[in-house]
Amino acid sequence: MSATAASSSPTTASSMDAFLQFVDGFAKTAARMPAARQRARRTTIREILDTAIELEKKTMALYVLFAKAFARPDEVRNFWFGMARHEAAHCGALALVETVLESDPRVAARTRVWFDPTTVTRLRSLLGAYGREARAGVNLERAFEMAIDLEASELEDVVIDMLSVVKDAEWRRRAIQLLIHDLGDLSYMIERHTRNEALLARADVLVEQAASRLARRRRAGRA
């Protein structure tokens, strides 16, 4: 998913503050609903980061399985391999975030935020079930459906926002553009290799949502 200590310069300190604000915002996402707020607990930034890296690696592993399972035609194999590369890039970005935190362990140790574990539990269970199903053998349409479920998860937003810790806004904007490109490819592959109109509609909604997110960042001067 290097850096000097957060307290060593105003610029780095500002980046760390932005990161802490982001994590706090992410941790409170589920808390917008009263029931979810009741489930929230206090946890560390370290735990959130480890969890994000774990889920990204599991998503990457699933896409690698699909690349092996659907080796022909080349178009399909290359698509799944490209999706796996996308997840690998997320892991690299999170590793840079980890380095920023390690530059001042006191920050990671003393900062505790609200975090709803039910979202992570759901994603972890989903990835585990999908991995077992994929190893047992699935058809291409089912693989696309799994990808839609995962790409629609909150994890994508978490990683995109984390990029601001280690790179500038332009890099984050390009990351969103890459996400839009990947989702567009997913929509194209569903249209080309299945006749599932409902699944295609879900993919198109994800593309529109990502494009809207990029437009909002541009209007807000954050992209």
Side-chain angles (χ1 to χ4, degrees):
M1 202 6 321
S2 209
T4 56
S7 60
S8 64
S9 71
T11 300
T12 307
S14 176
S15 295
M16 180 60 72
D17 289 342
F19 170 63
L20 297 180
Q21 290 172 6
F22 153 69
V23 174
D24 188 50
F26 163 58
K28 292 178 180 177
T29 297
R32 294 168 188 163
M33 297 291 291
R37 183 66 176 80
Q38 293 173 3
R39 292 194 300 265
R41 62 181 175 84
R42 286 290 223 177
T43 189
T44 63
I45 290 176
R46 174 73 267 169
E47 184 176 345
I48 293 174
L49 183 58
D50 286 343
T51 298
I53 292 173
E54 172 205 346
L55 295 176
E56 288 290 351
K57 286 183 176 179
K58 287 183 177 180
T59 304
M60 178 175 61
L62 181 65
Y63 292 157
V64 168
L65 278 177
F66 290 155
K68 292 180 178 179
F70 305 107
R72 293 288 184 274
D74 288 343
E75 176 186 52
V76 173
R77 178 196 176 278
N78 291 340
F79 164 75
W80 288 119
F81 194 69
M83 294 291 283
R85 284 200 309 268
H86 177 80
E87 301 305 321
H90 283 178
C91 291
L94 292 174
L96 290 176
V97 173
E98 183 176 34
T99 300
V100 171
L101 291 180
E102 288 176 348
S103 70
D104 190 352
R106 294 170 300 176
V107 174
R110 70 171 178 257
T111 305
R112 303 186 71 83
V113 296
W114 285 108
F115 181 64
D116 179 9
T118 58
T119 297
V120 169
T121 299
R122 178 178 60 82
L123 284 173
R124 187 178 284 129
S125 298
L126 194 66
L127 282 163
Y130 283 178
R132 290 189 296 272
E133 187 177 349
R135 285 188 289 272
V138 296
N139 62 28
L140 185 57
E141 182 174 319
R142 177 57 179 154
F144 288 146
E145 184 179 10
M146 292 179 182
I148 288 290
D149 290 342
L150 296 175
E151 296 300 319
S153 75
E154 300 89 338
L155 192 58
E156 293 294 327
D157 290 333
V158 172
V159 175
I160 292 294
D161 283 336
M162 276 188 173
L163 300 184
S164 61
V165 180
V166 292
K167 288 288 184 178
D168 59 22
E170 174 65 17
W171 195 61
R172 184 169 58 177
R173 183 182 66 82
R174 290 179 181 177
I176 299 175
Q177 289 178 325
L178 178 60
L179 173 61
I180 295 171
H181 179 271
D182 286 347
L183 291 173
D185 282 351
L186 178 55
S187 176
Y188 168 78
M189 295 298 285
I190 291 171
E191 183 175 22
R192 181 171 173 81
H193 295 280
T194 80
R195 295 184 177 180
N196 191 326
E197 294 296 330
L199 193 59
L200 178 60
R202 289 183 62 195
D204 289 342
V205 167
L206 290 182
V207 174
E208 292 171 2
Q209 289 174 344
S212 295
R213 181 192 309 145
L214 179 59
R216 286 195 302 271
R217 289 186 185 279
R218 282 173 170 164
R219 288 195 299 269
R222 293 176 296 177

